[in-house]
Amino acid sequence: MKRRNLLVAVTAVALTAACGNSGPGTASGDAGKVQVWALEDAAVNPIATAGIQSFNAATGANVELTTYVNDAYKQKLQVAMGSPQAPDVFFNWGGGNLAQFVTAGQAEPLDDLIAKNPDLGAKFLPSVMDVGRIGGKQYGLPMIGVLPVVLFVNKDVFAAAGVQPPTTYTELLSLIDTFKARGVTPIALAGSQGWTELMWLEYLLDRIGGAAKFQAIVDGAPGAWQDPAVVKSLEEIQNLVGRGAFGTNFASVNYDNQGASKLFATGKAAMHLMGTWDYSVQKDANPKFITDGKLGYVAFPAYEGGAGDPKSVVGNPSNYYSVNAASKNKDVATDFLAKTLTSDAYINGLIDAGQVPAVKGIEETLKARPNSEFTTFTYDLVAQAPSFTQSWDQALSPSISERLLTNLQKLFLDKISPADFAADMASVK
């Protein structure tokens, strides 16, 4: 499965059946019915349905949930927006995915809603809210848990080598040499898929240049792709490959069949940079790896001399609900968001399904639930992050993302130089 579809795998730990309708939406043309469109998700859809039923019962509204599979949803939403068949509330990934609807004038600003409901805006984690903010205005509210990328470590492999997880990039480089000398692949990498390699570029640029460097790329700033910090990050990647960080066969390792995750869990690799969803992958495929306390996790190490804040994170901040600017039911739609997304029932539902909601003040609740050590680690990581950079292939347009991932795989295989990589990306419009 691709990383974008992993929310189902991550959260399908407590519930098994998706809910909702599957027919076409008629929201913007039907003043009596409020359509909410979202992805099919066996764990989250029932929570959303319960929230809708509660809201309808309390207000007398007629809100309905319609769900679609991932690719069909994207196509359906693109065609529907701007037409009478568009939904009133629509699921999106924030960032560049949401920006296209904002640019087209199809998303309603939510700043007035937040101003009227101060507790609403204050409830969400700031770094996650930022990804739903476009051009200084809030257009999306988080509706699911956070999924940052973290550095997983195999405690047994580390103990056998007598070393500790890295806190700095220099320590990481030293560990690569240590594990290579012991015949262990230092870092598992599913290099047959570019999105797994992208995490390295995301974190390196964040640590070397700071979050503003990628924001300049998103904004299309002149020279952003050829910024020295970008080129330096690309050079570091090739240095890692040349140093043997990922072994010699990473290009044939796949994530969808758990190739990298298994290498890591079985001790053939010492570390694995991956989204927090891999915890659930390991829990399902290699449960003893977790129950025996062998799985460790730390933040991506600090880069000495870098301009980035070592507390910043990258990954999937959340998914978002936004309101159709053409909806005839905007008052009901916004009221639904205000009353549902931060309600105790909705938040507890997400936590029970294995999620880490993007809201403040849930530390004690997380500690009382299963897997509390990992979920509280994840929560604290995001809560303390000054910025949460969205996965680049979701933040950028599809055409740019496709070229990016292609070039990245070439970079890891030493088929393109950092300078040529940057120049080629600068040419993409």
Side-chain angles (χ1 to χ4, degrees), residues 34-390:
V34 179
Q35 279 281 354
V36 178
W37 282 15
L39 292 187
E40 288 185 7
D41 188 320
V44 176
N45 293 157
I47 300 167
T49 298
I52 287 172
Q53 292 173 344
S54 178
F55 177 78
N56 287 344
T59 64
N62 184 15
V63 179
E64 291 186 358
L65 175 68
T66 304
T67 62
Y68 301 92
V69 296
N70 191 72
D71 291 339
Y73 175 76
K74 295 176 185 177
Q75 298 170 3
K76 183 76 175 179
L77 188 63
Q78 289 283 357
V79 172
M81 290 300 283
S83 77
Q85 283 70 47
D88 298 280
V89 176
F90 62 98
F91 166 104
N92 60 84
W93 287 268
N97 177 258
L98 174 57
Q100 63 183 318
F101 299 109
V102 173
T103 301
Q106 296 170 337
E108 181 72 10
L110 302 176
D111 301 272
D112 287 346
L113 172 68
I114 293 172
K116 293 175 183 176
N117 300 272
D119 291 343
L120 179 63
K123 186 71 173 177
F124 293 107
L125 298 176
S127 63
V128 180
M129 280 286 276
D130 285 347
V131 181
R133 187 174 295 118
I134 309 295
K137 294 184 178 180
Q138 195 73 40
Y139 288 93
L141 295 179
M143 50 75 67
I144 205 168
V146 297
L147 294 167
V149 172
V150 302
L151 185 64
F152 289 99
V153 299
N154 187 312
K155 291 182 179 180
D156 273 4
V157 176
F158 270 72
V163 293
Q164 296 295 319
T167 59
T168 68
Y169 193 71
T170 298
E171 291 176 0
L172 177 66
L173 296 179
S174 178
L175 286 170
I176 289 170
D177 296 340
T178 296
F179 291 122
K180 183 180 177 182
R182 294 177 64 85
V184 176
T185 299
I187 304 166
L189 177 66
S192 66
Q193 296 159 286
W195 64 265
T196 67
E197 298 172 330
L198 182 58
M199 298 175 186
W200 284 95
L201 179 55
E202 290 167 347
Y203 258 129
L204 282 167
L205 181 59
D206 184 87
R207 294 292 188 263
I208 292 171
K213 297 298 182 181
F214 177 64
Q215 188 58 50
I217 291 174
V218 172
D219 295 340
W225 275 112
Q226 293 173 297
D227 186 285
V230 175
V231 177
K232 177 65 174 176
S233 301
L234 297 169
E235 291 172 347
E236 287 289 11
I237 285 175
Q238 288 200 322
N239 289 338
L240 286 171
V241 175
R243 200 177 190 113
F246 311 109
T248 57
N249 300 317
F250 65 86
S252 63
V253 179
N254 188 275
Y255 186 80
D256 295 348
N257 65 9
Q258 300 175 8
S261 302
K262 186 176 182 179
L263 285 173
F264 171 63
T266 56
K268 295 179 180 179
M271 294 172 278
H272 189 201
L273 186 68
M274 186 49 60
T276 51
W277 57 77
D278 203 59
Y279 185 92
S280 290
V281 172
Q282 297 289 6
K283 187 177 180 182
D284 290 341
N286 308 294
K288 284 183 65 62
F289 185 44
I290 292 179
T291 57
D292 290 349
K294 297 179 180 180
L295 177 62
Y297 30 83
V298 295
F300 192 87
Y303 190 95
E304 297 93 330
D309 191 321
K311 289 185 178 180
S312 293
V313 294
V314 308
N316 298 352
S318 184
N319 294 328
Y320 297 80
Y321 272 149
S322 297
V323 174
N324 181 359
S327 170
K328 295 181 179 180
N329 307 294
K330 282 189 278 192
D331 287 346
V332 177
T334 54
D335 191 41
F336 163 70
L337 297 184
K339 287 184 167 62
T340 303
L341 296 184
T342 58
S343 70
D344 289 343
Y346 190 86
I347 293 170
N348 284 326
L350 290 177
I351 294 174
D352 287 341
Q355 296 267 322
V356 179
V359 296
K360 299 176 183 176
I362 60 171
E363 295 93 329
E364 295 306 315
T365 305
L366 290 174
K367 289 177 182 177
R369 296 295 202 279
N371 311 310
S372 60
E373 183 178 349
F374 182 70
T375 57
T376 53
F377 162 79
T378 301
Y379 179 82
D380 290 341
L381 192 70
V382 176
Q384 296 169 16
S387 67
F388 194 150
T389 297
Q390 186 181 31

